[in-house]
Amino acid sequence: MTTETLVTENKVEPVQSPETTSSKSVDMSVEKMSFQRAPGLKKMVDRWRNSHTHCLWQMTLSQRRNPYAILRMQDTMVQELALANKQLLMVRQAALRQLFEKEHQQYQQELNQMGKAFYVERL
């Protein structure tokens, strides 16, 4: 019996070829016996089942692992953002300190030109 399989939208439907449509009463036990006699075919089917099972296992493993990876990545991003903010704050403070020192020196020079000075307590 020669049959072809038609796969449409995740459904497998057997399609009878034109020359075998009249012989629908063929016993399926004959096909089972020929399947059992072909050890090569049986090994191939077993390998396919094993690989299919392994594939399903990998898919479920990756589905379970992905949420943890996302959480870990979010935690890393939060830590990096906190460090970047801290570094930006230090850079701004250093720039502000330089600006204040420059302005202080400028005021001191202006006061020196007028003959005046800042009061500095000496111990």
Side-chain angles (χ1 to χ4, degrees):
M1 177 175 183
T2 58
T3 59
E4 299 174 8
T5 56
L6 176 65
V7 179
T8 58
E9 298 178 15
N10 297 330
K11 295 179 183 177
V12 178
E13 301 172 358
V15 177
Q16 298 287 334
S17 59
E19 64 269 359
T20 60
T21 54
S22 62
S23 62
K24 289 184 180 180
S25 63
V26 174
D27 190 13
M28 296 302 275
S29 62
V30 174
E31 287 185 11
K32 288 181 183 177
M33 289 174 53
S34 66
F35 175 72
Q36 290 173 352
R37 288 184 198 152
L41 186 60
K42 187 172 192 305
K43 286 181 183 179
M44 184 178 71
V45 169
D46 288 341
R47 281 194 307 262
W48 180 84
R49 282 186 187 145
N50 288 339
S51 66
H52 181 68
T53 304
H54 185 72
C55 181
L56 290 175
W57 178 74
Q58 286 289 340
M59 286 173 50
T60 57
L61 183 66
S62 66
Q63 287 172 355
R64 281 184 278 144
R65 192 180 317 154
N66 283 340
Y68 296 118
I70 290 170
L71 289 175
R72 210 171 33 247
M73 190 179 296
Q74 287 176 346
D75 186 44
T76 304
M77 286 172 41
V78 167
Q79 289 175 354
E80 286 179 1
L81 190 59
L83 289 175
N85 286 337
K86 195 181 276 188
Q87 186 177 13
L88 183 62
L89 180 66
M90 290 172 59
V91 167
R92 285 182 174 176
Q93 286 175 344
L96 194 58
R97 192 175 302 116
Q98 285 179 352
L99 178 67
F100 286 153
E101 287 176 4
K102 184 179 176 183
E103 285 180 354
H104 180 72
Q105 288 176 356
Q106 183 181 355
Y107 289 145
Q108 194 172 16
Q109 286 176 359
E110 289 176 6
L111 287 175
N112 281 339
Q113 287 176 356
M114 296 185 332
K116 300 180 180 179
F118 286 117
Y119 174 76
V120 178
E121 186 176 343
R122 298 176 194 220
L123 297 176

